[in-house]
Amino acid sequence: MPLIEIVDLSQRLGERDTLKNISIKVERSEVLALIGPTGAGKTTLLRLIGLIDTPTAGKIFFDGVDTSKSARDRLEVRRRMAFVLQKPVVFNMNVYDNIACGLKWRGVERDVIRQKVTSILEMVDLLTEKNRSARTLSGGEAQMVAIARAIVSEPEVLLLDEPTANLDPISEAKIEELIRNIIHHYDTTIIMSTHDMAQGQRLADRVGVLLDGRIQQTGDWREGFNSPRNREVADFVGVENIIDGVIASNEDNVVTIDTIGNAIEAISDYPVGAEVSVCIRPEDVTLALSRISSSARNSFVGEVTRAVLLGSLTRIETDCGFPLVCLITKRSAEELDLTKGKQAYATFKATGVHVIKRETAR
């Protein structure tokens, strides 16, 4: 049985449907990242899961209990969860008391409070700051305190709403390290929202892509990046090469896709005539100055339109009759002298092409 099961959850605020028929299961001790752009409905969904708000439709089951049945059950479930807001909340007291206040409200003995809070302060590297006013903390430190206050009571579920939003890179790294420590030391189920796909990759067991109020896709981060379910997901996760076309032939699931003057071969079970988009990862494209002998089914001559150095890699933009972005090593780019206007052959395998159905305008 999943710890949390959400069934056909919808939320309407005014004239706008902010969430539409959300169904998702979260297993005990799982880390789930809800990724999506600003306004996608991530915070709204977290507030519903945290039983802060009531949905317009649908149900939330916690450990098999229907949380809509009684106010008493909802209160009991809420006590088993902790919610950290995007903008950290700190009280007008010192760091130690900020973290300890939840335990005091629960009537925990003073010695136990001291032991738990001291342990958490060491984890967040704020032990020497325990007597400092929390109102004087930096944004990253305040978020550390907010997370520490949430986890010190050892909740079964920790809800994190954009935990590193608006933080500098150093503070972001510290918060992520704290979340990893929580994952390692506690048997806590974590549901976090983020607009950062890379953060979801670094921290979560599974990601759910939330776009326009709907869960478009769930799975590990590789599925979202390598096998996006539709054009919207592909755009959001940053697939740079998305080319529209129509299936011209299909022989034993080896398809030829007509992309207006060019033909791309791929592996797909879509039938002839299907309107599709092909997704090609830049790192799966090989560049050469002449046509190479290869088992790869796709090879196109193109002109370099732009080259941008990205550390040890170089991003090459080409015009092959369709725009194609390639990612190669800096050394390879220098050896090939891939400057603007240079002709090159771009090659990629049929197995390196992901085909998605294209939604036609109604």
Side-chain angles (χ1 to χ4, degrees), residues 176-191:
E176 288 192 8
E177 182 60 26
L178 172 57
I179 294 171
R180 277 189 285 268
N181 284 335
I182 292 170
I183 293 168
H184 180 71
H185 289 99
Y186 296 90
D187 189 29
T188 307
T189 302
I190 298 177
I191 306 175

Side-chain angles (χ1 to χ4, degrees), residues 93-155:
M93 55 183 71
N94 65 31
V95 169
Y96 181 97
D97 288 336
N98 259 272
I99 297 173
C101 62
L103 297 175
K104 292 177 180 178
W105 295 336
R106 287 173 168 82
V108 178
E109 294 181 2
R110 182 175 299 178
D111 289 345
V112 175
I113 292 175
R114 184 181 300 111
Q115 182 272 323
K116 285 180 176 289
V117 174
T118 299
S119 177
I120 290 291
L121 282 167
E122 290 175 344
M123 177 182 286
V124 300
D125 197 25
L126 286 174
L127 185 60
T128 58
E129 307 293 326
K130 66 179 183 179
N131 294 319
R132 179 179 166 187
S133 170
R135 293 288 176 88
T136 67
L137 297 174
S138 67
E141 290 170 330
Q143 188 68 297
M144 286 277 198
V145 169
I147 295 174
R149 184 174 60 234
I151 201 66
V152 74
S153 60
E154 301 181 17

Side-chain angles (χ1 to χ4, degrees), residues 73-245:
D73 286 343
R74 287 176 65 85
L75 179 60
E76 186 60 33
V77 169
R78 285 187 64 182
R79 287 173 174 165
R80 297 163 68 180
M81 297 189 286
F83 196 138
V84 178
L85 303 173
Q86 178 177 330
K87 185 176 181 180
V89 174
V90 292
F91 304 121
N92 190 23
M93 55 183 71
N94 65 31
V95 169
Y96 181 97
D97 288 336
N98 259 272
I99 297 173
C101 62
L103 297 175
K104 292 177 180 178
W105 295 336
R106 287 173 168 82
V108 178
E109 294 181 2
R110 182 175 299 178
D111 289 345
V112 175
I113 292 175
R114 184 181 300 111
Q115 182 272 323
K116 285 180 176 289
V117 174
T118 299
S119 177
I120 290 291
L121 282 167
E122 290 175 344
M123 177 182 286
V124 300
D125 197 25
L126 286 174
L127 185 60
T128 58
E129 307 293 326
K130 66 179 183 179
N131 294 319
R132 179 179 166 187
S133 170
R135 293 288 176 88
T136 67
L137 297 174
S138 67
E141 290 170 330
Q143 188 68 297
M144 286 277 198
V145 169
I147 295 174
R149 184 174 60 234
I151 201 66
V152 74
S153 60
E154 301 181 17
E156 291 181 55
V157 177
L158 177 62
L159 304 174
L160 301 172
D161 187 14
E162 296 273 10
T164 61
N166 305 316
L167 296 182
D168 61 84
I170 293 176
S171 296
E172 179 178 349
K174 288 181 178 180
I175 294 295
E176 288 192 8
E177 182 60 26
L178 172 57
I179 294 171
R180 277 189 285 268
N181 284 335
I182 292 170
I183 293 168
H184 180 71
H185 289 99
Y186 296 90
D187 189 29
T188 307
T189 302
I190 298 177
I191 306 175
M192 60 178 290
S193 70
T194 179
H195 62 270
D196 185 351
M197 179 71 176
Q199 185 171 82
Q201 295 173 9
R202 291 190 293 268
L203 297 175
D205 302 310
R206 190 163 55 104
V207 298
V209 182
L210 184 62
L211 300 173
D212 191 30
R214 298 182 187 274
I215 293 287
Q216 301 283 349
Q217 185 167 345
T218 58
D220 67 39
W221 66 266
R222 295 175 186 83
E223 292 178 42
F225 187 67
N226 295 335
S227 304
R229 184 169 297 171
N230 54 41
R231 178 68 179 255
E232 289 76 14
V233 174
D235 283 333
F236 177 73
V237 302
V239 177
E240 291 195 84
N241 296 311
I242 307 176
I243 304 160
D244 292 338

Side-chain angles (χ1 to χ4, degrees), residues 241 282 287 303-308 310 314-318 324-329 333 338-339 344:
N241 296 311
L287 289 177
E303 180 180 308
V304 175
T305 57
R306 192 180 183 205
V308 179
L310 303 172
T314 301
R315 182 180 184 273
I316 306 291
E317 298 178 16
T318 65
L324 186 67
V325 177
C326 319
L327 198 61
I328 63 175
T329 65
L338 292 175
T339 54

Side-chain angles (χ1 to χ4, degrees), residues 21 24 165 195 272 291 309 316:
N21 303 114
I24 194 169
H195 62 270
V272 172
R291 193 179 297 275
L309 182 62
I316 306 291

